Amino acid sequence: MTNPALDTPTDLQTNQVASVADALNQALADAYALYLKTKNFHWHVSGPHFRDYHLLLDDQATEILGVTDLIAERVRKLGETTLRSIGDIARRQQVKDNDADFVPPRDMLLELRDDNLKLVQQFREVKELADAAKDNATSGIVDEWTDQAEQRAWFLFEATRGA
């Protein structure tokens, strides 16, 4: 049952909007999980490349956090509700947490690379659903998010080459 106080006008089909919003909320949950994992690794990285990795991970975490608000606002523009709590994120996230006491720096970077590539795949699924719904705004903006995640994965890949 929808709350009329939250209804946002849209000319898109209700069932298609719900599919796009669900996919966006899934990506949002994983973006938050990836943000926290990236910050975790930023805080705990060690070793001879400490400064480079520490700065790289901080930059990436900032970028990921920046996209979370855009994703949530897009869901609301579609007239749907978005994530409400850490518990909501935990129920939806597919990016796995890493609570290990110690993770070697190279393993951190490889794990984050893979997680960013998972996010790329989710953004591609959002785009497919948005295109099917004729939701041009979501389809257009998700391209930028995809490019950012691909760039993060590329940087992480390059940082692990020959290491």
Side-chain angles (χ1 to χ4, degrees):
M1 179 173 187
T2 55
N3 181 337
L6 294 178
D7 283 346
T8 303
T10 179
D11 64 341
L12 299 171
Q13 298 284 335
T14 305
N15 60 338
Q16 291 176 320
V17 167
S19 295
V20 173
D22 285 345
L24 283 167
N25 277 325
Q26 178 63 59
L28 179 58
D30 281 333
Y32 270 115
L34 180 57
Y35 163 75
L36 192 54
K37 182 188 280 189
T38 303
K39 285 304 277 192
N40 169 29
F41 289 168
H42 159 79
W43 295 322
H44 294 101
V45 71
S46 62
H49 300 289
F50 168 79
R51 180 170 165 58
D52 292 335
Y53 294 166
H54 185 75
L55 295 174
L56 172 67
L57 297 179
D58 196 38
D59 287 346
Q60 290 197 355
T62 299
E63 184 176 87
I64 296 164
L65 184 61
V67 80
T68 60
D69 192 50
L70 299 172
I71 296 170
E73 287 179 356
R74 188 66 211 146
V75 172
R76 289 297 297 127
K77 288 176 191 174
L78 292 172
E80 297 290 322
T81 57
T82 193
L83 305 179
R84 299 182 186 281
S85 66
I86 297 295
D88 200 359
I89 292 167
R91 286 186 293 277
R92 296 174 190 249
Q93 79 183 71
Q94 294 176 1
V95 168
K96 302 287 185 220
D97 294 332
N98 186 324
D99 297 325
D101 287 338
F102 177 79
V103 180
R106 185 172 191 278
D107 292 352
M108 289 178 175
L109 301 182
L110 290 171
E111 190 171 331
L112 291 173
R113 180 203 62 200
D114 292 345
D115 290 340
N116 275 282
L117 290 174
K118 287 176 192 169
L119 197 56
V120 165
Q121 189 56 41
Q122 286 183 331
F123 287 147
R124 288 191 176 128
E125 291 170 18
V126 168
K127 182 155 182 89
E128 283 181 34
L129 291 167
D131 287 344
K134 297 185 179 4
D135 178 359
N136 298 345
T138 300
S139 181
I141 198 168
V142 78
D143 291 338
E144 183 178 334
W145 304 336
T146 303
D147 184 56
Q148 289 174 356
E150 286 176 334
Q151 181 167 320
R152 289 190 303 269
W154 172 46
F155 275 46
L156 293 162
F157 166 74
E158 289 296 342
T160 60
R161 288 174 49 138

